[in-house]
Amino acid sequence: MKRFLLTLTKEVIMGIISKIFIIQSLKTTDSIKSGLELSIKLDGKITNSFINVEDRSGLFKEIDSIKSEISGSKGLYVIHFDCHGNEDGIGLFDKSDQLSFVEWEDFRKKFRDIYTTIHIRPIISFSSCYGFNVMKLIAAYEPCPYHIITGSLIKIPFKESIEGYFSFYDNLNNGVNLPNNIESVRRIYPKLNFIAFPANYLFEMAWEKYKQLQLSPERIQERKQQIISEIISIAGSITKKQEAYLDFALSPSEGEKDYQRFKEKFYS
C-alpha cells in the first residue's frame, strides 16, 4: 500500500467539492441506513443530496438527473453509492426487499455517457461490501469518465463506512492531498479497507490489463496466425515480404505506438 500511495500525484485533486450525490439502496432489514446517515452528517459542511432508489430504472433515472444538473458546470462532483454489492455489481432493493442487480459494465456505460455528453469527470464512490471491481469500470480504447474511483475490497461495516467516507470527503474539501487522505482514512478506519484510484493510476491499470490480453507473446502469435490465415484465404498464399512486415507490425516497437494511442484515447 505504501508503494501505491507513493505513485499517486499529490496534486491529483484539491479544492472545494461542489456537491455530493448520495444514492442509497439497502434492505428494509438493514438497521443502519448508512447513505442517509452520511448525508445528515455532511449537512452544513458539504452540499449534498440524498435519494433512495429501488430498482434499475430508478437508479438510471437518478443518474440521468445528475447529468442534467451538473451539465455546463466546471465544479467538482461526487456520486456516492451506498448499497450491497459483490465482484459482479451491486444489488438494489425495493420496499419488499425484492432484488434488482446492476452489473459493473452497466455502470461503465452510464458514466461514459456522462463524460462524453457533458465532459465532466466526477468522483465515483462505491460504499458496498465486496463491491469494488475497478477493472470492470474501465475499458480499453475508451475515454476515462472518472476523476477518482473509491471503494473497499472487503465486506465493510455500516458505521465504519459512514465515518470513513465522511472523513475522506471532509479532508478532500479542505485540500488534503490524495495520498495523505487515503493513508489517513485507512489508518483511522482499518475495517473499511478504503482505496481510491485517480485517473492516472486507472490508466496504468487499464494499460496493464490491455497488455496482458492483447500484447502477450502468446496473444501476438495468435494474432499473427489469424492474420496469416485471413491473407491466405483471400490471396491463396503469403509472401516472405508480407510475413516480415507482419512481424514488424506486431513487434514491441510498434506496441509502443499502441501505448500512445491508448493513452490519447483514455485522456480524450
Side-chain angles (χ1 to χ4, degrees), residues 130-144:
Y130 306 111
F132 187 58
N133 194 323
V134 66
M135 295 314 299
K136 293 181 180 178
L137 286 168
I138 53 179
Y141 285 101
E142 287 186 6
C144 176

Side-chain angles (χ1 to χ4, degrees), residues 119-134:
H119 305 292
I120 290 178
R121 288 188 173 103
I123 297 172
I124 306 297
S125 294
F126 289 97
S127 179
S128 55
C129 298
Y130 306 111
F132 187 58
N133 194 323
V134 66

